[in-house]
Each structure stands twice: as structure tokens, then as C-alpha cells.
Amino acid sequence: MKAATLHRFGAPLELREWPDPKVHGEETLVRVLGAGVCHTDLHIIDGRFPTLRLPRVLGHEIAGQAEGIGEVLVYASWGCRACALCQRGEEQLCPRATEPGWVRDGGYAEYVVVPSRRYLLPLGGLDPVRAAPLADAGLTPYRAVRRIRRWLPPGSTAIVIGAGGLGQFAVQYLKLLTDARVIAVDPSEAKRRRAQELGADETASPGDQLPPARAVLDFVGSDETLTLAADVVERTGILVQIGEGIGCLPFGFGLVPHEVHITNSVWGSLAELASVLGHANRGELDWHVDTLGLDQVNEALDRLRRGEVAGRLVLVP
Ligand code: ZN
Ligand code: ZN
């Protein structure tokens, strides 16, 4: 089959013939119909996870055709199913998780092997190319917003830093699931406009004066954005880092507000992905998808790196 593979950190992906995958036991073969391009792919290529074994087929936002099931979205954080976190249904936190596009071969290919049918969620009529980004860009902010709901009663304020692919979903979940006033912060005027279309009550540039907030979601995770988040979050509020920028937040008395909660949020559970699909199927979510062929994978990654992707790019094999 055709696959886009990473052979060396820092090098472009190579489109080449790759062995046709074979399935064993519980595994299911999925013919890839769309694979979303994620910032994490750039981090992988840049060598942020140096223990990863190469060569590797990247791609963890996958929708496709599964034999005997039909069109599916692939839940992509495959836990060990034995540890306490997996038993609680939090496979995305499993220390032994094997994710496609990291630990196993992923969706930048014609086919992907999924370890169990339980990770395949029927699309219910959603277009697979459009649905692919729900597996991460749609899921990760959903979990983050669910976790901060109790900080956001009527009259409260939530700030979303970074109104790109994930931030745009976060704005919608905040409006759907909480009564908070939502402020989206982004240097790009186009992304601020998009956030407003999606329901943000206000938008701001990073240098603008911001009101104090009960909850701040940082979808960038740089030194600057974490500092901004700690500046605007209220005492006893919550600051959540989701973006994997290589930022650092100094912690200590006087450095962060009194009794503030500081956490990160990582991907989402299988049950949360089912909820995301439910929202999407009910037409409650809006997101932009641009498509490119699998053979344009490096162009797609370059566009993402240059910040030229308004919503999500999806590769079509
Ligand atoms: Zn991702
Ligand atoms: Zn586990």
C-alpha cells in the first residue's frame, strides 16, 4: 500500500510503498478515507518524542471504512486495558497506550490496523473526510471543557487562548455545555472572526486588556501564553494547558493566584469521543476542513507550520 512515513527526525515524510498490513486476532483493518493533520505531527517530526521507533507512518485522526461495520471514526488512544486508568475508561492516560501515528503505524496510508472493533465508532452518516479531525481536534477540547464545567456557573468568564483548530471547538463546547461568557484570544484576525462566528462573546489580541476569568484554556502552551493565562485566571480558578508548545510556567506563592488549579488535559476517552460524535451528528458543531491528497502530505505539514490552516487539513489517500 501507499504510505507517508517518517524515517528520520527533522526530515520530510516519504511517500512510498509500505507492506500491506495483516490483521491478527481481534484486530480490524480500516481502509483510510481521511486522516487529519495535527500540530503533534510537527512535534513528532521535530524530534520532541525521541524514543519513538522509526520508520513510522504518522496520522492519528483517522476515519475510514471498516469491513463488516461501515464508515467509522477511529478512537486512537489504545490503552493496555488492564491498568487502573484503563479500567476507569481513561485509556488516553494509560502509561502503556499505543497510539497510531506514534507507537503504531497510523493513518497517513491506505490502510490502518486497529487493535479492536471497540475503537471503531460508526459515523452515522457524517462524511468521513469531514469527520476525521473529530478524533483529536474535536475530542481534546471536549474533555478539557467537560473537566472545567463546575468552574463556570452563569456570570462567569472563560478565556480560550489560541483560536485554531482545537480552540474553535472549545468555544463551541463552552457555549453548549456551560453558561460562561467566552472570550477567545488569538493574534490572527481571521481566527478571531471565526471564533466570533462560532459563538465567542468577545475576542481579543494577546496584548489587549483582559478581564479576570474563572477558567483559562491554553491551546498554545508557550511561555507567553502560559504567563498570560496565569495573569488572567482568578484566585481559586482553573488554568488548563492543552497546547504542546514548549512553554514553562513558574509555580510558587506570588507567582500564581492563590489556590488556583493548574492542570493539563490530554486527548479524551472512548466515551467522550462517542459524545463528540453525538454532538456532530445532531448538527451542533461547525468546523472547516480543507483536503489534500496523501501525496501532498509535506505541503500540508508546511502549511500547518506556517500557520496557514484556518480549520483542519485532512489528507485523502
Ligand atoms: Zn493530534
Ligand atoms: Zn492501561
Side-chain angles (χ1 to χ4, degrees):
M1 68 169 178
K2 214 167 45 164
T5 54
L6 178 66
H7 291 257
R8 194 162 46 79
F9 294 121
L13 300 191
E14 295 179 21
L15 192 75
R16 51 166 79 193
E17 271 305 310
W18 203 242
D20 281 335
K22 295 191 172 48
V23 293
H24 308 275
E26 253 192 275
E27 292 175 340
T28 306
L29 192 63
V30 172
R31 183 163 64 84
V32 178
L33 297 174
V37 181
C38 177
H39 263 282
T40 306
D41 299 325
L42 298 178
H43 296 319
I44 293 172
I45 292 167
D46 292 344
R48 284 273 299 282
F49 311 99
T51 55
L52 288 192
R53 301 254 300 270
L54 301 183
R56 177 65 63 223
V57 180
L58 301 193
H60 54 272
E61 290 184 342
I62 308 163
Q65 176 81 31
E67 208 163 308
I69 304 178
E71 292 183 343
V72 293
L73 185 61
V74 177
Y75 177 72
S77 192
W78 305 331
C80 72
R81 296 168 68 182
C83 73
L85 286 161
C86 283
Q87 307 249 300
R88 253 167 45 198
E90 306 278 26
E91 288 188 54
Q92 77 284 1
L93 300 177
C94 174
R96 284 179 286 166
T98 57
E99 301 94 345
W102 270 278
V103 185
R104 301 227 208 165
D105 279 343
Y108 291 178
E110 290 178 278
Y111 292 92
V112 64
V113 175
V114 178
S116 164
R117 292 167 76 98
R118 65 194 293 274
Y119 298 129
L120 303 175
L121 302 179
L123 284 181
L126 278 184
D127 169 25
V129 172
R130 243 178 91 60
L134 294 176
D136 178 10
L139 174 59
T140 304
Y142 178 76
R143 175 178 181 77
V145 169
R146 272 196 67 199
R147 288 178 55 209
I148 62 168
R149 260 194 305 193
R150 68 191 172 91
W151 272 268
L152 296 172
S156 59
T157 297
I159 291 180
V160 173
I161 301 177
L166 276 72
Q168 291 170 17
F169 278 103
V171 166
Q172 297 179 77
Y173 295 134
L174 283 164
K175 296 310 289 185
L176 271 171
L177 305 175
T178 82
D179 293 310
R181 172 170 71 131
V182 178
I183 304 176
V185 181
D186 200 287
S188 151
E189 202 205 322
K191 287 178 183 167
R192 290 198 301 272
R193 213 169 32 235
R194 180 70 184 141
Q196 209 134 30
E197 280 169 23
L198 295 171
D201 298 287
E202 289 169 44
T203 63
S205 291
D208 295 347
Q209 188 71 34
L210 291 167
R214 289 301 296 154
V216 183
L217 297 172
D218 182 357
F219 287 94
V220 182
S222 65
D223 284 342
E224 292 76 17
T225 57
L226 286 169
T227 302
L228 172 65
D231 280 346
V232 293
V233 69
E234 290 173 4
R235 292 181 176 193
T236 74
I238 184 162
L239 185 171
V240 189
Q241 178 186 356
I242 302 109
E244 292 176 321
I246 323 174
C248 207
L249 180 67
F251 178 82
F253 281 114
L255 295 171
V256 298
H258 291 344
E259 300 198 1
V260 72
H261 300 256
I262 295 180
T263 185
N264 51 28
S265 200
V266 178
W267 220 335
S269 68
L270 183 56
E272 285 166 336
L273 185 59
S275 300
V276 167
L277 257 183
H279 286 297
N281 276 311
R282 290 192 295 275
E284 293 167 353
L285 299 173
D286 187 6
W287 69 102
H288 278 161
V289 161
D290 283 331
T291 57
L292 286 174
L294 179 59
D295 50 351
Q296 294 167 291
V297 61
N298 287 310
E299 184 192 327
L301 291 162
D302 287 344
R303 276 171 57 179
L304 188 64
R305 202 184 280 281
R306 291 196 300 264
E308 292 172 7
V309 181
R312 207 65 163 171
L313 271 176
V314 174
L315 300 175
V316 179

